[in-house]
Amino acid sequence: MRPSLLLALAATAAASVPKGQRRIYYWFITEWQAGMSHGNPMAPATAYYDFKLSAKLHTFRDLYVPPFAAHCVGAAASDPPSSEFRACELTESDDSYDMSVMARVLPEPDGRAHVAVDYSYTYNDGSGTKNFTVVAEEDWARERPPADFRLRPSEVEVEN
């Protein structure tokens, strides 16, 4: 293909996205499992979660969100189940940032799993911190295979 034709195709593709329209930032959840324990009905309820999470590089105007991948595993207790934030294992990260991914079970009485996930990163030069969070709301797994889906996180303001 001729270079001038490639440039024309690229310009046409770029023109098809309206100016000022923000590209949507997604996180991809894979191998999602969240379940309730079975056993002694007199014992406190316990729950678990186990999933992988990733996001591609995202840029928009002056916002730059580095890509990452993590594996989150944790447990919760009481009725409804809840837990504190627990660090997820970063399986891919950018060494230019101090990054963390954490997850916890939120105590929601609706009988569904509500797992909050937090991704934060600080520029290594100390110039600022960004924080994104999302809550995955899914049924507690009984006997279904792991699920894959995507979620749209929200940015949380962080003071430096």
Side-chain angles (χ1 to χ4, degrees), residues 1 47 50 147:
M1 192 175 278
D50 185 342

Side-chain angles (χ1 to χ4, degrees), residues 26-154:
Y26 286 108
W27 289 357
F28 299 91
I29 312 292
T30 59
E31 301 177 28
W32 165 272
Q33 293 184 2
M36 299 288 289
S37 65
H38 302 284
N40 183 353
M42 302 306 289
T46 59
Y48 71 91
Y49 59 87
D50 185 342
F51 59 91
K52 294 179 181 172
L53 166 74
S54 65
K56 298 176 182 177
L57 169 68
H58 179 75
T59 59
F60 180 74
R61 295 189 183 141
D62 62 343
L63 178 64
Y64 178 91
V65 184
F68 72 94
H71 182 200
C72 301
V73 177
S78 76
D79 190 15
S82 67
S83 69
E84 297 298 319
F85 271 108
R86 179 181 170 148
C88 300
E89 175 191 4
L90 277 170
T91 55
E92 293 178 29
S93 61
D94 184 332
D95 292 339
S96 304
Y97 303 89
D98 180 20
M99 302 173 141
S100 71
V101 176
M102 302 181 83
R104 71 172 284 209
V105 175
L106 299 174
E108 294 291 337
D110 66 1
R112 299 187 71 194
H114 293 254
V115 179
V117 182
D118 177 82
Y119 166 51
S120 64
Y121 59 93
T122 303
Y123 300 96
N124 280 343
D125 64 5
S127 63
T129 298
K130 293 285 184 186
N131 182 286
F132 291 85
T133 192
V134 71
V135 175
E137 295 179 33
E138 294 289 320
D139 290 331
W140 289 108
R142 297 291 184 244
E143 295 180 17
R144 72 163 195 233
D148 298 344
F149 51 93
R150 68 182 187 177
L151 295 170
R152 187 174 174 189
S154 299

